[in-house]
Amino acid sequence: MTTTLRAAILGTGAVAHLHAEALAELDGVTLVAAADPSEERVRDFNARHGVPAGYATLEELLASEDVDVVHVCTPPAGHAGQTRAAFDAGAHAIVEKPPALSLAEVDEMQQAADRAGRQFAVVFQQRTGTAAKHIRELLSSGELGRPLTAVCHTHWYRGSEYYDVPWRGTWESEGGGTTLSHGIHQIDLLAYLLGDWASVSGQLFRLDRDVETEDTSCGVVVFESGAVASVLTTVLAPRESSLIRIDTEHATIELEHLYGHNHASWKVTPARHIDAGQSAGWALPDIEVPSGHAALLGEVYAALLSGSDVPAVAAAPTRAIEIVAALYASAGRGAPVQRAELTDPKFRGGMRVPVTDLRPSR
Ligand SMILES: NC(=O)c1ccc[n+]([C@@H]2O[C@H](COP(=O)([O-])OP(=O)(O)OC[C@H]3O[C@@H](n4cnc5c(N)ncnc54)[C@H](O)[C@@H]3O)[C@@H](O)[C@H]2O)c1
């Protein structure tokens, strides 16, 4: 007998469309309902994606529908409570980045998933695609030697009007600034490639935008392998790009893209001492899957349908948020934060710290 999972989408704003479009291409899942307090938005969303039922709240949706999976596509301040409610109702949850506003919230979400025996998947879609998988395997197998230095830059552009949306730009509702909301994608991918981190130092700046949080940050992440990464995030870059560069003993890996990557976005340059025969084995696979929501949801639903745990591309919800939390904490105290220190509740409750304001007085 074939199983079809019944999915619902909570929050029918911008990112929800990527979820609906990806679900439409997948076997074994049907999108049965959506919920959003904006009646107009949920109506338009349902009409566009052929979703049969619309609700104003998650509570109404869960009371009326038998749902296997809830996609949490709401502003981040709601993620923790909504995800816990989905688990408590017996559904799996697929939660947009950032999964929550603090490490304590992510802990509670994971505990609720474990209690309910349900799966907790996060959407950091930069991890996905055949290129990232291949490069990760080359790094973890030792084929490229020890990773030494890395660059992780998010040069994005968000004009002042971007912050007109009420939930953006405040500690209360966004939880942090561009580091938590944008840089976290590349930071997550870097950590997916390089593994556990050891320490983070960082600084936060407000250079131009009229926000409570930061519009730019700089950090240094030291990984347990000994690799050292420079991490810069900004929403003030007229030419936008997302960059990762990793120099290992035997190769330089470069990725340049914007919001998603394919094989052409990656370049691996062997060191002079590597012979052509060895580096030929590093070539990306012939079959190409670009990064994106479709790739991530495809893997997550394959796991859910087979009763397996969340696959690596959607697991480990705390990894990126730990690095981001440590960057904020370091900026707050003016000194590096070691990974072991993050067990201290004072680092797990939220990101809010003073930001250095370098805007000309206006
Ligand atoms: N993975 C990505 O590439 C990506 C891209 C954009 C946004 N995001 C993330 O997705 C989330 C949503 O971002 P967005 O850009 O779609 O925001 P958005 O403002 O466009 O949409 C959010 C929607 O959630 C609705 N909403 C608010 N509270 C709700 C509630 N309690 N119940 C149900 N619906 C509610 C709003 O009415 C709105 O329609 C954020 O966490 C954001 O960081 C991820």
Side-chain angles (χ1 to χ4, degrees):
M1 201 180 74
T2 50
T3 308
T4 298
L5 296 173
R6 295 163 58 84
I9 291 185
L10 183 68
T12 56
V15 85
H17 294 279
L18 302 180
H19 287 246
E21 284 159 14
L23 289 179
E25 300 299 317
L26 288 181
D27 292 331
V29 52
T30 177
L31 183 52
V32 296
D36 196 301
S38 162
E39 196 180 333
E40 185 188 0
R41 215 168 293 158
V42 75
R43 192 183 53 234
D44 291 352
F45 181 88
N46 282 4
R48 179 165 155 191
H49 298 289
V51 185
Y55 300 91
T57 67
L58 177 62
E59 292 68 28
E60 289 171 33
L61 185 153
L62 291 173
S64 310
E65 301 283 339
D66 184 14
V67 171
D68 299 303
V69 187
V70 174
H71 292 237
V72 179
C73 299
T74 52
H79 288 185
Q82 293 154 357
T83 303
R84 287 200 310 266
F87 292 138
D88 290 347
H92 304 291
I94 301 174
V95 185
E96 266 298 341
K97 54 60 59 177
L101 301 190
S102 70
L103 286 163
E105 284 187 344
V106 182
D107 291 344
E108 287 163 18
M109 292 154 89
Q110 188 63 63
Q111 285 157 10
D114 295 344
R115 260 197 322 269
R118 301 287 89 183
Q119 297 294 330
F120 174 19
V122 286
V123 180
F124 281 119
Q125 79 275 14
Q126 304 294 332
R127 289 186 207 171
T128 61
T130 36
K133 183 168 193 278
H134 180 75
I135 298 294
R136 186 173 188 242
E137 281 164 8
L138 287 178
L139 284 163
S140 61
S141 68
E143 175 69 19
L144 302 183
R146 201 157 57 90
L148 300 169
T149 61
V151 166
C152 175
H153 285 183
T154 302
H155 300 276
W156 288 8
Y157 190 86
R158 297 291 183 271
S160 305
E161 70 290 348
Y162 175 81
Y163 294 100
D164 291 343
V165 175
W167 64 266
R168 296 202 177 111
T170 71
W171 292 108
E172 178 79 16
S173 55
E174 200 174 4
T178 186
T179 320
L180 180 65
S181 286
H182 308 127
I184 198 166
H185 276 297
Q186 297 313 299
I187 292 170
D188 179 73
L189 175 56
L190 185 77
Y192 187 63
L193 296 173
L194 290 183
D196 285 335
W197 61 281
S199 72
V200 176
S201 55
Q203 286 185 271
L204 304 172
F205 302 99
R206 202 155 41 237
L207 299 182
D208 190 81
R209 297 293 180 259
D210 189 16
V211 291
E212 231 180 62
T213 53
E214 83 287 2
D215 59 26
T216 299
S217 69
C218 287
V220 173
V221 179
V222 180
F223 285 85
E224 279 190 352
S225 64
V228 175
S230 152
V231 179
L232 182 137
T233 303
T234 185
V235 282
L236 306 176
R239 186 179 90 76
E240 296 186 277
S241 72
S242 309
L243 298 172
I244 285 191
R245 174 182 171 128
I246 300 170
D247 288 287
T248 72
E249 286 176 294
H250 303 326
T252 294
I253 298 156
E254 290 166 280
L255 166 65
E256 179 166 10
H257 66 116
L258 185 50
Y259 302 133
H261 48 81
N262 56 22
H263 285 195
S265 321
W266 294 78
K267 186 174 173 196
V268 181
T269 307
R272 271 178 242 152
H273 61 267
I274 297 296
D275 67 47
Q278 186 176 355
S279 59
W282 301 347
L284 293 168
D286 291 338
I287 294 173
E288 174 174 5
V289 177
S291 71
H293 282 74
L296 185 135
L297 294 179
E299 284 202 44
V300 170
Y301 274 94
L304 294 179
L305 285 161
S306 68
S308 319
D309 288 345
V310 171
V313 289
T318 49
R319 184 171 43 210
I321 211 162
E322 273 184 4
I323 294 175
V324 168
L327 197 150
Y328 282 98
S330 162
R333 79 176 189 193
V337 169
Q338 307 299 317
R339 187 166 179 221
E341 291 182 83
L342 281 197
T343 52
D344 187 330
K346 76 170 182 262
F347 294 132
R348 301 191 82 77
M351 315 281 170
R352 189 191 290 250
V353 288
V355 173
T356 304
D357 195 336
L358 297 180
R359 296 175 299 175
S361 47
R362 41 183 90 186

